[in-house]
C-alpha cells in the first residue's frame, strides 16, 4: 500500500490540517485572518469532509482486497448407507480451497489501491480549490469595503461643495454668481451616491454571509477584516512544480494505473483456477468383506480441482476495455496538461495587465484629487462651474472603484498561481 493511503496516517490527518500554511506566513497573520478562516473552512466544509470520508472508505476497501476466497465445505450424509466392497459409506466431508492464477489477487489489490489514490487526489483537489475560493471571496469583500469608503469620501466632498454653494447664495458679495439650482443638483448627486453606498453595503453583507457559509458556520458570525487591500507578492513557480503536484494530473495518473491493474486482473481471470482440498469418508463395516483388515475403515483423500477457461469472451472483453480506458486516460492527461499549461502561461500576462491598470488608475486618481481640490477653490471664487466639478468627480469615482477591483483581481491571480502549484495543500501536510 502506498504511503499516502496508510491507515495509521488517517487517524491524525484531521489534526494536522491546521498546519498547512508555512510557519512564516502564520506568524505574520493576526488571530482572526484569512489563514484562520481557510483552516476553519477546510475543517468544517461538508464537501471537503465528504471527500475525505470517501477517501477513507476507499482505503478500507483496499485493505480488504487481495485475499483468497473463502474455502468451500461440503457435507454429504447417506440415510441408507452406500455399500462398497469393503465398507458401507455413511457420510463424506469435503473442504476445498480455490486459488486464482498467479498475480490475480495482487492485481485486484492494486486496483483498489489506485482507486483509493484517485479518491485521495480528489480530496486534495477539493481542499486546494476551497482555499482558492476563500481567498477570492476575501478579496472581493475587501474591494467592496474600499468602494464603500471611497463613496463615503465623495459624499463628504459633495457636502463640502454644497456648503460653499450655500455660502455663495447667502453672501451679498457673491449672490449674483450663486445659483439655487446648484443646491438642488448637489442634493440629487448626494441621493445617487447614497443609493450606491446602500447597494454596496447590501452586497458587503451578502458577501460576509456567503463567506461564513463557506466555513459552514452561522451566516451572521462576525468577521475580522483588514482596513484595506495589500497587494501580494507574485511567487516564482516553475512549471515542473505545477505538473508534479497538481492533484488533477495525479488523479489521471492513478486512473491509468488502475486500468493497468484491471487489465492484469482480467488476464489472470482468463487463466485456470486451481482448487486443493481434502475429503474425509466416514465408513461402516460390512459382512463378508473381501479384505477383512480394511473392513469399516474411514478414509482421507486429497483432492485437486482445475477450472477450464473455455468461455473467454467475457475476460477478453474485460482486457480490451481496460486497455481502451487506459489509452483514454492518457489522452485525458494530455488534454488537462495542455489546459493547465495554458492557465500557467496566462497568469503572468494577466498579472502584468492588472499592474499596468493599477499604475494608470493611481495616476488618474492622484491627478483628479488635485484637480478637485483646485476646482473647489475656483468654485468658491466663482471661476468654475458645478457641472465641471461633478463631471470630474464622477471620473474620479470610476477610477477609484476600478482601482479596488484591480487590486482584488491581482491578488486573486496570485492565489490562482499558488493554486496551480498546490501551495495550500492541507492533505499533504
Amino acid at each position: 500500500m502506498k504511503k499516502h493511503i496508510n491507515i495509521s496516517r488517517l487517524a491524525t490527518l484531521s489534526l494536522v490540517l491546521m498546519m498547512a500554511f508555512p510557519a512564516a506566513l502564520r506568524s505574520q497573520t493576526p488571530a482572526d485572518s484569512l489563514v484562520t478562516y481557510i483552516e476553519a473552512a477546510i475543517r468544517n466544509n461538508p464537501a471537503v469532509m465528504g471527500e475525505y470520508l470517501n477517501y477513507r472508505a476507499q482505503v478500507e476497501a483496499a485493505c480488504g482486497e487481495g485475499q483468497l476466497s473463502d474455502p468451500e465445505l461440503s457435507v454429504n450424509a447417506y440415510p441408507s448407507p452406500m455399500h462398497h466392497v469393503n465398507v458401507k459409506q455413511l457420510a463424506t466431508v469435503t473442504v476445498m480451497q480455490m486459488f486464482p492464477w498467479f498475480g490475480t489477487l495482487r492485481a485486484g489489490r492494486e486496483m483498489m489501491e489506485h482507486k483509493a489514490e484517485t479518491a485521495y487526489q480528489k480530496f486534495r483537489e477539493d481542499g486546494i480549490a476551497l482555499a482558492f475560493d476563500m481567498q477570492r471571496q476575501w478579496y472581493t469583500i475587501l474591494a467592496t469595503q474600499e468602494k464603500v469608503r471611497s463613496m463615503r469620501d465623495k459624499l463628504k466632498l459633495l457636502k463640502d461643495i454644497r456648503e460653499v454653494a450655500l455660502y455663495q447664495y447667502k453672501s451679498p458679495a457673491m449672490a449674483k454668481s450663486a445659483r439655487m439650482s446648484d443646491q438642488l443638483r448637489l442634493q440629487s448627486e448626494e441621493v445617487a451616491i447614497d443609493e450606491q453606498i446602500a447597494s454596496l453595503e447590501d452586497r458587503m453583507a451578502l458577501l460576509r454571509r456567503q463567506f461564513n457559509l463557506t466555513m459552514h458556520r452561522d451566516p451572521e458570525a462576525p468577521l475580522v477584516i483588514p482596513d484595506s487591500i495589500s497587494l501580494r507578492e507574485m511567487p516564482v513557480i516553475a512549471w515542473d512544480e505545477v505538473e508534479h503536484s497538481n492533484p488533477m494530473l495525479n488523479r489521471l495518473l492513478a486512473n491509468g494505473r488502475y486500468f493497468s491493474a484491471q487489465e492484469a486482473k482480467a488476464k489472470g481471470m482468463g487463466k485456470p483456477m486451481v482448487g486443493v482440498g481434502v475429503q474425509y469418508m466416514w465408513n461402516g463395516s460390512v459382512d463378508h468383506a473381501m479384505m477383512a483388515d480394511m473392513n469399516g475403515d474411514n478414509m482421507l483423500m486429497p483432492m485437486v480441482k482445475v477450472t477450464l477457461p473455455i468461455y473467454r469472451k467475457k475476460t477478453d472483453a474485460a482486457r480490451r476495455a481496460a486497455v481502451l480506458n487506459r489509452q483514454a486516460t492518457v489522452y485525458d492527461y494530455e488534454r488537462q496538461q495542455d489546459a493547465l499549461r495554458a492557465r500557467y502561461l496566462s497568469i503572468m500576462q494577466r498579472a502584468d495587465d492588472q499592474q499596468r491598470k493599477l499604475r494608470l488608475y493611481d495616476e488618474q486618481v492622484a491627478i483628479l484629487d488635485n484637480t478637485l481640490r483646485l476646482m473647489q477653490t475656483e468654485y468658491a471664487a466663482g471661476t468654475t462651474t458645478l457641472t465641471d466639478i461633478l463631471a470630474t468627480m464622477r471620473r474620479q469615482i470610476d477610477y477609484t472603484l476600478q482601482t479596488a477591483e484591480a487590486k482584488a483581481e491581482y491578488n486573486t491571480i496570485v492565489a490562482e498561481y499558488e493554486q496551480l502549484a498546490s501551495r495550500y495543500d492541507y492533505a499533504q501536510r
Side-chain angles (χ1 to χ4, degrees), residues 82-126:
M82 184 179 294
H83 287 260
H84 295 285
V85 175
N86 293 310
V87 296
K88 55 182 178 180
Q89 192 170 359
L90 303 177
T92 60
V93 178
T94 305
V95 177
M96 178 69 67
Q97 175 66 62
M98 298 300 295
F99 295 91
W101 193 256
F102 304 105
T104 304
L105 292 177
R106 184 177 65 250
R109 183 178 179 86
E110 288 176 354
M111 280 178 59
M112 295 305 298
E113 288 178 350
H114 297 315
K115 189 174 181 179
E117 185 180 354
T118 61
Y120 170 72
Q121 297 298 337
K122 184 64 169 62
F123 165 55
R124 285 187 61 217
E125 184 177 359
D126 283 3

Side-chain angles (χ1 to χ4, degrees), residues 3 17 39 77 196 238 267 310 318 321:
K3 180 175 70 174
L17 291 177
E39 290 172 353
Q196 285 182 277
K267 184 178 180 181
I310 297 174

Side-chain angles (χ1 to χ4, degrees), residues 166-397:
L166 185 60
Y167 173 77
Q168 287 180 330
Y169 185 76
K170 292 180 177 180
S171 173
M174 305 182 68
K176 291 184 178 180
S177 61
R179 291 178 296 181
M180 191 59 189
S181 61
D182 285 355
Q183 288 288 314
L184 299 177
R185 293 175 64 190
L186 287 167
Q187 280 184 336
S188 175
E189 200 73 19
E190 287 177 23
V191 169
I193 291 183
D194 279 332
E195 190 280 328
Q196 285 182 277
I197 292 174
S199 177
L200 287 170
E201 287 178 339
D202 286 346
R203 174 168 169 74
M204 182 78 167
L206 175 61
L207 291 171
R208 282 172 170 266
R209 294 189 186 101
Q210 291 174 333
F211 192 77
N212 277 320
L213 287 173
T214 306
M215 291 184 278
H216 194 57
R217 68 177 194 174
D218 183 6
E220 304 302 330
L223 293 175
V224 177
I225 299 176
D227 294 333
S228 60
I229 304 179
S230 299
L231 291 181
R232 298 183 57 189
E233 182 179 352
M234 180 65 72
V236 177
I237 298 175
W239 166 247
D240 289 344
E241 181 182 353
V242 174
E243 188 176 27
H244 175 74
S245 62
N246 186 264
M248 183 184 298
L249 295 181
N250 281 305
R251 190 170 81 242
L252 290 171
L253 290 175
N255 272 338
R257 292 190 289 267
Y258 170 85
F259 290 124
S260 294
Q262 188 180 59
E263 180 189 7
K265 182 179 180 180
K267 184 178 180 181
M269 295 297 292
K271 298 294 181 66
M273 295 181 66
V274 179
V276 178
V278 62
Q279 186 178 72
Y280 182 79
M281 290 181 288
W282 181 27
N283 300 319
S285 59
V286 296
D287 298 333
H288 311 296
M290 294 185 63
M291 291 180 282
D293 58 337
M294 297 180 61
N295 188 12
D297 286 353
N298 296 329
M299 295 182 62
L300 188 67
M301 180 175 64
M303 302 179 66
V304 176
K305 181 168 68 173
V306 179
T307 62
L308 301 177
I310 297 174
Y311 306 107
R312 302 180 56 84
K313 186 174 182 179
K314 58 182 181 297
T315 55
D316 290 343
R319 286 180 60 188
R320 291 193 299 269
V323 170
L324 292 173
N325 281 326
R326 188 178 68 247
Q327 292 174 347
T329 302
V330 172
Y331 287 117
D332 283 344
Y333 182 91
E334 292 175 350
R335 177 176 60 86
Q336 293 294 345
Q337 188 182 42
D338 291 342
L340 199 64
R341 180 125 193 169
R343 282 182 62 195
Y344 172 80
L345 295 174
S346 74
I347 281 177
M348 294 307 298
Q349 182 273 326
R350 287 186 283 138
D352 290 342
D353 186 50
Q354 292 301 322
Q355 286 180 324
R356 283 193 299 270
K357 287 181 179 179
L358 281 170
R359 287 193 294 269
L360 170 64
Y361 298 155
D362 288 342
E363 291 176 4
Q364 292 289 343
V365 169
I367 292 171
L368 292 172
D369 278 342
N370 292 330
T371 304
L372 282 171
R373 281 194 293 269
L374 291 172
M375 292 180 80
Q376 278 183 278
T377 304
E378 293 171 353
Y379 182 71
T383 57
T384 191
T385 65
L386 182 61
T387 301
D388 292 337
I389 292 178
L390 293 179
T392 304
M393 180 179 293
R394 292 186 188 112
R395 288 182 58 199
Q396 202 261 7
I397 288 174

